Amino acid sequence: MDAVFDNLDLFWSGYLRSLGICLWAMAGSLVLGTLIAACRVSPVPALRWFGTSWVTLVRNCPLTVVLFMIAFGIPELGINASYYVFGVAALVLYTSAFVCEAIRSGINAVPVGQAEAARAIGLTFTQNLSQVIMPQALRTCIPPLGSVIIAMFKNSAVLGAFGVAGDLWGVGKRLSSAQGYDALPVFIGVAIGYLCITLPAAAVLAYLERKVAIAR
Amino acid sequence: MRFRRTKAVVVGVSLALAMAACGGDDKDSGPEVKSDIDFESGTTMAEIADRGTVTIGTKFDQPGFGLRNLKGEPEGFDVEVGKIIAGALGIPAEDITWKETPSDVREQVIENGDVDFVIATYTINDERKKRITFAGPYYVAGQQLMVRSDDDKIKDLEDLKDPKVRVCSVTGSTPSETIRDFLANERQLTLFDVYDKCASALKNGQTDVVTTDNVILAGFVSESDGDFKLVGDQFTEEPYGIGIKKGDVDFCEFINETLEANEDSYNEAWSSTAGKIEGTSPAQLPDADSCS
């Protein structure tokens, strides 16, 4: 375990970097996923088509492929950014498809009568969605949404193999191979680091679920 | 019938004589193949010379050093040095059997006796010396920098102190650790799992420098169609040795003496292979380590 305790500062910096990636990617994918979910249930056919294609294309591609397309493809078009930005963008893009499906499942779970009643009293589609359907849908979709977000936190380790230096995974690789340390304690340290990101997130989700249950 | 056969023999012999006579002058024929050899019986040299063939392990995927070309023939500096040693054993290049030996099986094939020796960008270190014996070193590789050919801002290590310069290497590799000392901050570093991603990143402008051992970089330069070049000096030392069976001191000394006696062929081997790549420093035969 010396490998871990001698290098706590490295683990700490790796933790902060991974946490940063996760929080940016979470914020981005929630916003983008919600927008795409709105497209998928929109009355406008073109938007519905766009939403459905997005989900089909992105959800059925491995994350690594999406990552490659962005990090190696975009620069070929002459657009340069750091691998940190590209990495977060890929995570957002990829996760948005799953977020969208989680939200859509929530929307579909709202009884049709609710939307019909809202339409009957003269609410527009946007009002209907934001004031009647979404508040109810969010309650049902919190558990699946939570799983999606936590899965994304774990997926963020892939970025370490992808040029984003100094994240938790990168710290583990560096300590285990470059300095001849034992892999087991090092990667236990890395695992604990990821747990320190995912467990609080899971706790927040559990709290939200309880709140929703009371509201019902 | 009898007459014809005799004639054939005469023609054959005179052809052979003609070829032998020309052999010494012809530059393309490769290193000298000794004919007046006399090895003490029981030595590895005698065994190989009697057999008339030699099996050499090398890499098939390391341009400039050991690469199997499209015709299926190995080429590169390691291959040429292998031919020099074979020549000293009286074995011409066409009687050499080349066996592909990737990094992780090199000790194994030597121990198994699958090859007579291995010459494959093989860094001498204590860990490996426990299992095999190294002749040489025949070359000292070292970490170096590779940049885009049109980049004239980055010329050596000092230029990496600029925090805007981005550097790429491989996760967990020794070069990636070494280079940290020369950077202004760690954010400059991009790490991938393999070097060809770094090469892509260099090509599309996502990084400015790729760093690792010069021989790997030289390979990328030679494949890059003029897009990449090496800059600065080598700043670490990786001595490359020739791997043989553990404890075969006679063979080890023979190889060291052969290299020393054939410095011209050695220099020729370098300049016709890896030495062609822009930015490689001239090879200089290092002093051999003592054999054990």
Side-chain angles (χ1 to χ4, degrees), chain B residues 40-107:
Chain B
E40 207 177 308
S41 65
T43 58
T44 310
M45 293 80 84
E47 189 199 316
I48 296 173
D50 287 348
R51 209 194 306 146
T53 62
V54 63
T55 305
I56 306 176
T58 193
K59 286 188 180 169
F60 281 4
D61 58 355
Q62 178 73 69
F65 277 75
L67 176 78
R68 192 156 62 160
N69 64 21
L70 292 176
K71 279 185 260 166
E73 301 152 350
E75 57 183 30
F77 184 57
D78 282 348
V79 171
E80 292 307 317
V81 173
K83 285 178 188 168
I84 294 173
I85 298 166
L89 291 162
I91 295 165
E94 60 268 24
D95 288 337
I96 301 173
T97 308
W98 298 98
K99 189 173 165 59
E100 182 176 17
T101 48
S103 299
D104 48 357
V105 304
R106 289 178 297 199
E107 286 90 28

Side-chain angles (χ1 to χ4, degrees), chain A residues 25-38 40 54-55 58-59 91-107 134 138 141-142 144-150 152:
Chain A
M26 181 180 77
S29 57
L30 283 177
V31 171
L32 187 62
T34 310
L35 287 175
I36 293 175
R40 282 209 74 174
W54 182 282
V55 170
V58 177
R59 193 174 58 166
L91 267 184
V92 166
L93 204 71
Y94 182 74
T95 314
S96 69
F98 295 89
V99 167
C100 162
E101 287 303 272
I103 291 178
R104 194 174 64 97
S105 75
I107 291 174
M134 281 310 267
L138 278 179
C141 71
I142 280 175
L145 205 53
S147 311
V148 166
I149 293 298
I150 287 177
M152 185 199 71

Side-chain angles (χ1 to χ4, degrees), chain B residues 48 54-60 77-79 81-83 85 96-124 128 132-138 240-246 251 255 259:
Chain B
I48 296 173
V54 63
T55 305
I56 306 176
T58 193
K59 286 188 180 169
F60 281 4
F77 184 57
D78 282 348
V79 171
V81 173
K83 285 178 188 168
I85 298 166
I96 301 173
T97 308
W98 298 98
K99 189 173 165 59
E100 182 176 17
T101 48
S103 299
D104 48 357
V105 304
R106 289 178 297 199
E107 286 90 28
Q108 196 66 45
V109 293
I110 294 169
E111 285 175 336
N112 290 356
D114 297 340
V115 297
D116 294 302
F117 57 91
V118 165
I119 178 159
T121 60
Y122 205 177
T123 302
I124 299 174
R128 290 170 180 161
I132 61 157
T133 288
F134 281 106
Y138 64 95
Y240 285 169
I242 296 159
I244 60 175
K245 267 225 166 74
K246 174 120 185 102
F251 192 31
I255 293 175
L259 291 178

